[in-house]
Amino acid sequence: MTRYPNMEQVTGDFYTQNFEKGAREGSLILNMGPQHPSTHGVLRIILELDGEYILRCDPVLGYLHRMHEKMGESKTYRGFIPNMGRVDYGCPLPWNWAFVGAVEKLAGIEVPERAEYIRVITTEMNRITSHLLWWGAYILDLGAFTPIMYAFDEREWLLDLLQTPTGSRLTYSSFRVGGVGHDIDDKFIEGLKAFIPYFRSRLPMYKDLVTDNIILRKRVEDIGPMPLDMCRRYGATGPVIRGSGLAYDIRRAEPYGIYDRFDFEIPTQDTCCCMGRYKVRLAEFEQSLRILEQAVDQIPDGPIIMDKAPKPSWKPPKGEVYFAVEGARGKTSVYLVSDGTKSPYRVKLRAPGFSNLSLFAEAAQGTLLADAVAILGSLDLIIPEIDR
Amino acid sequence: MNAIRKNVIQPIIDLWSLIVGLKVTGKYFCQRHVTVHYPRKIIPAELTDTFAGHIELIPSAKDPTIPKCISCMMCATNCPSNCIKVLKQKAPKVSPEQEKEWAEAEARGEKVKRPKAPKNPAKFSYDYSLCSLCGTCIENCPVSSLRFSHDIYIVATDRKELTMDLLARLARQAEAQAGKPADRAPGVLEQAAEAGQEASAKEA
């Protein structure tokens, strides 16, 4: 049928052909990605453009699909934990927590006090590193190179610290069913105590350098409005819905672990624009630091993992369980079905980025192409997490 | 009045925000750089000591070339990535005459000590390209014969190079510890480490 060996490159693939059907006369169909630098990996967006204005757009997923959910069905409960470190490389510890939390809820396992504190400390540190990565990369998307250097200065310090309880710098998989894998030492606590005031002193510099900068403000203020009802319709969570004025945070709404013991606020912004989401994330730095300060003061001595922690051949009881935690990007949750064998019957991973990305097509309609990049960045997408 | 504010005062305030940003840049431009210029300098060992690299065998107390490992296969069976292969040692071969002698002794009712296979493995091969560093092998080792190494500088130009013979690695480590001449010239890293130590000594 085809005269050319790679006809698909000439006519477009299935997605493009499907998208083309409703195109307006004289408009231009354009692919953004899957290798576009602002799509952070391999997100592909098909755009219909009228000049520089977006008429329609459609995200195409699946370029980084690694079958994590299917892999869960063939691995043991212990063997699946490293996968959770790789679903979302930016913020893997909430994913760790979601999975081990689900298994613990299923089997009714109590986690030792010290392990709970280590989980809170490492997760909050991970939230800061994730937001720092987002902050640097978002400004980089918008055309400013320098801020990512400042962000990585702090991030490196935190990664050096996080290396003690996790052993790695990126794909952490240090949580275990019934506790955590590695303990923290006095040197870690000292380093963290030194980091908190240092990072706090750097936040005004972030404001001077970036937040108040008129070029950034013109790029993000009143761009990409996502009203609350739109966020609700698509199931957006995390900083996206908090940037639209709803103080919804799993740590407060459905407290898990020991989060009910800490005093922290849930920052919100009513502007619904990219600047709102930006400011929410910057305000979350301060809240994470507050939680860290309290956790470091309160941390008790004791074991870090329960007695007789599950071995790789461990079998949980039959049942279904759902467990949600607050990741850096929103509601991160795991739905687990166990049939009483060594490996789960079904693992469903709810990625916050997937729901957050769904807002993009509607929010980007009618905006400039350059603003679409700003909207896309403000959602804080990690493509491996969306594709799973 | 509003026109003046909009067209004159606001642009000046906006431009001032750029100057504030430049001030930050200027301040940090004059400060010491925070990056480490690899490979002329390398990061201090205290930062690499907490890093969990590929797994390695722990030598037994008696002989640094022999691991504590008892070839129980717990690591190989529990590994979610199937990256460990352990080969048990076979019992030494017995000549037919010896076998006959033992059979006769047994027939007489005497106790015979047949040679058993040594417990330590004959081969311990590990594929780093598959490993996800989850630590299941380390947690499940009954004699704690495995640990994470702190080697952050491992590089390979070929996937086959990532399949390591951990017994040979242990022997090399024992040799280096015993102070025998190394079988290769000091690499760039060792030189850089020495240079870095000298530089830091001078600074101190």
Side-chain angles (χ1 to χ4, degrees):
Chain A
M1 178 192 147
T2 50
R3 265 186 294 164
Y4 304 105
N6 41 7
M7 195 65 183
E8 210 171 60
Q9 290 178 7
V10 184
T11 59
D13 64 353
F14 164 77
Y15 296 104
T16 319
Q17 284 172 7
N18 210 29
F19 187 78
E20 268 173 350
K21 278 175 193 161
R24 195 193 285 182
E25 188 78 13
S27 65
L28 173 73
I29 307 273
L30 190 74
N31 268 309
M32 188 162 106
Q35 279 91 22
H36 193 275
S38 86
T39 58
H40 294 275
V42 285
L43 176 66
R44 170 181 166 202
I45 295 162
I46 313 177
L47 304 157
E48 186 188 346
L49 296 176
D50 178 18
E52 230 187 305
Y53 286 90
I54 295 174
L55 297 173
R56 259 181 335 133
C57 61
D58 201 2
V60 180
L61 302 177
Y63 291 90
L64 206 56
H65 182 54
R66 291 154 298 160
M67 303 193 296
H68 277 302
E69 292 181 3
K70 192 72 191 165
M71 275 168 91
E73 294 169 21
S74 62
K75 288 196 183 293
T76 60
Y77 287 87
R78 173 65 182 84
F80 191 57
I81 292 174
N83 281 57
M84 300 321 292
R86 283 147 180 88
V87 172
D88 174 358
Y89 59 79
C91 197
L93 283 172
W95 277 102
N96 271 245
W97 200 339
F99 181 70
V100 298
V103 179
E104 281 157 7
K105 198 172 163 187
L106 179 71
I109 291 173
E110 285 263 323
V111 181
E113 194 91 325
R114 187 176 172 83
E116 290 274 25
Y117 275 95
I118 295 175
R119 282 184 183 182
V120 168
I121 290 172
T122 48
T123 309
E124 291 306 318
M125 284 166 80
N126 201 186
R127 194 184 311 279
I128 295 178
T129 59
S130 172
H131 282 350
L132 279 171
L133 176 70
W134 166 81
W135 184 76
Y138 183 43
I139 314 298
L140 194 64
D141 284 350
L142 296 175
F145 180 73
T146 343
I148 198 168
M149 295 295 168
Y150 295 97
F152 268 62
D153 187 6
E154 269 93 53
R155 197 176 131 86
E156 282 301 309
W157 187 339
L158 269 184
L159 291 186
D160 286 343
L161 285 174
L162 266 176
Q163 219 174 255
T164 316
T166 60
S168 50
R169 299 176 74 81
L170 198 67
T171 50
Y172 314 117
S173 44
S174 67
F175 287 9
R176 303 282 180 267
V177 177
V180 288
H182 310 267
D183 204 354
I184 56 177
D185 50 8
D186 290 344
K187 210 175 136 197
F188 172 87
I189 300 271
E190 258 170 49
L192 190 55
K193 276 183 177 164
F195 174 80
I196 292 168
Y198 167 76
F199 188 44
R200 210 165 256 157
S201 72
R202 292 269 282 198
L203 289 176
M205 184 271 281
Y206 283 15
K207 188 168 180 291
D208 286 347
L209 185 70
V210 179
T211 314
D212 285 349
N213 190 303
I214 186 65
I215 303 172
L216 177 93
R217 282 174 49 197
K218 293 273 178 203
R219 288 292 302 277
V220 297
E221 270 178 5
D222 300 326
I223 301 294
M226 294 177 185
L228 191 53
D229 69 305
M230 186 171 147
C231 290
R232 282 209 167 110
R233 254 189 296 132
Y234 287 102
T237 46
V240 176
I241 200 162
R242 291 198 283 274
S244 298
L246 182 71
Y248 180 70
D249 190 314
I250 311 291
R251 289 175 291 177
R252 186 58 55 78
E254 310 161 20
Y256 55 96
I258 50 164
Y259 270 112
D260 47 354
R261 294 183 201 173
F262 301 112
D263 172 35
F264 63 98
E265 284 157 26
I266 296 165
T268 52
Q269 291 281 329
D270 296 327
T271 49
C272 306
C273 63
C274 292
M275 195 58 167
R277 297 186 276 280
Y278 174 95
K279 281 186 174 165
V280 164
R281 290 200 181 91
L282 252 61
E284 278 181 14
F285 281 142
E286 175 57 32
Q287 300 309 320
S288 285
L289 289 179
R290 271 177 69 182
I291 297 176
L292 280 175
E293 264 180 342
Q294 295 168 44
V296 165
D297 285 342
Q298 293 172 15
I299 187 164
D301 285 331
I304 55 157
I305 193 156
M306 63 181 279
D307 291 337
K308 293 179 187 164
K311 292 253 181 286
S313 55
W314 173 76
K315 289 174 187 167
K318 273 187 194 178
E320 297 181 16
V321 71
Y322 177 77
F323 191 77
V325 300
E326 180 72 22
R329 275 160 269 289
K331 188 175 189 174
T332 306
S333 54
V334 170
Y335 181 71
L336 195 76
V337 183
S338 154
D339 57 355
T341 54
K342 273 196 268 184
S343 42
Y345 177 76
R346 175 84 169 94
V347 187
K348 168 81 182 88
L349 310 174
R350 189 233 185 242
F354 186 84
S355 306
N356 292 354
L357 172 67
S358 319
L359 279 90
F360 172 74
E362 194 175 322
Q365 237 170 33
T367 60
L368 285 164
L369 184 57
D371 289 345
V373 173
I375 299 168
L376 197 64
S378 77
L379 294 171
D380 188 11
L381 304 172
I382 295 271
I383 311 305
E385 179 202 49
I386 295 168
D387 284 351
R388 299 190 290 281
Chain B
M1 190 61 200
N2 267 342
I4 295 175
R5 169 165 285 180
K6 197 186 162 201
N7 296 324
V8 182
I9 300 175
Q10 195 58 43
I12 292 173
I13 295 172
D14 292 349
L15 280 174
W16 181 247
S17 77
L18 298 181
I19 292 168
V20 170
L22 279 176
K23 223 163 68 187
V24 174
T25 309
K27 190 182 144 201
Y28 282 91
F29 181 72
C30 299
Q31 286 181 4
R32 288 190 58 179
H33 57 78
V34 292
T35 48
V36 175
H37 283 216
Y38 183 83
R40 287 188 293 280
K41 259 178 158 184
I42 55 173
I43 54 168
E46 60 188 89
L47 291 180
T48 59
D49 279 351
T50 51
F51 180 79
H54 63 83
I55 58 165
E56 65 180 10
L57 287 165
I58 301 176
S60 61
K62 286 177 198 162
D63 186 351
T65 58
I66 292 175
K68 284 182 183 174
C69 176
I70 51 167
S71 325
C72 68
M73 312 294 270
M74 283 295 274
C75 49
T77 42
N78 286 327
C79 177
S81 322
N82 292 329
C83 61
I84 301 173
K85 284 193 181 66
V86 185
L87 199 68
K88 287 184 180 179
Q89 283 203 34
K90 283 180 185 156
K93 273 192 178 172
V94 183
S95 62
E97 295 96 56
Q98 184 76 44
E99 187 66 39
K100 209 176 163 188
E101 211 172 279
W102 280 334
E104 280 169 11
E106 267 178 342
R108 286 197 297 271
E110 287 170 24
K111 266 195 178 174
V112 173
K113 238 189 175 179
R114 284 168 194 270
K116 275 185 188 165
K119 276 186 174 169
N120 55 309
K123 210 176 167 190
F124 199 110
S125 110
Y126 164 67
D127 193 347
Y128 190 36
S129 64
L130 296 177
C131 180
S132 52
L133 298 173
C134 65
T136 312
C137 50
I138 295 169
E139 281 161 27
N140 284 292
C141 186
V143 288
S144 343
S145 175
L146 284 167
R147 67 178 169 210
F148 285 124
S149 69
H150 308 307
D151 187 4
I152 67 163
Y153 296 111
I154 182 167
V155 280
T157 52
D158 187 5
R159 184 175 287 186
K160 281 175 196 155
E161 284 173 36
L162 288 170
T163 308
M164 302 175 202
D165 184 358
L166 290 187
L167 285 176
R169 187 187 141 84
L170 193 69
R172 274 205 304 279
Q173 278 176 340
E175 208 170 278
Q177 283 229 326
K180 282 182 190 167
D183 54 354
R184 62 189 178 92
V188 183
L189 279 174
E190 282 89 352
Q191 286 172 2
E194 277 170 24
Q197 276 166 7
E198 279 166 23
S200 52
K202 267 180 206 167
E203 270 173 36

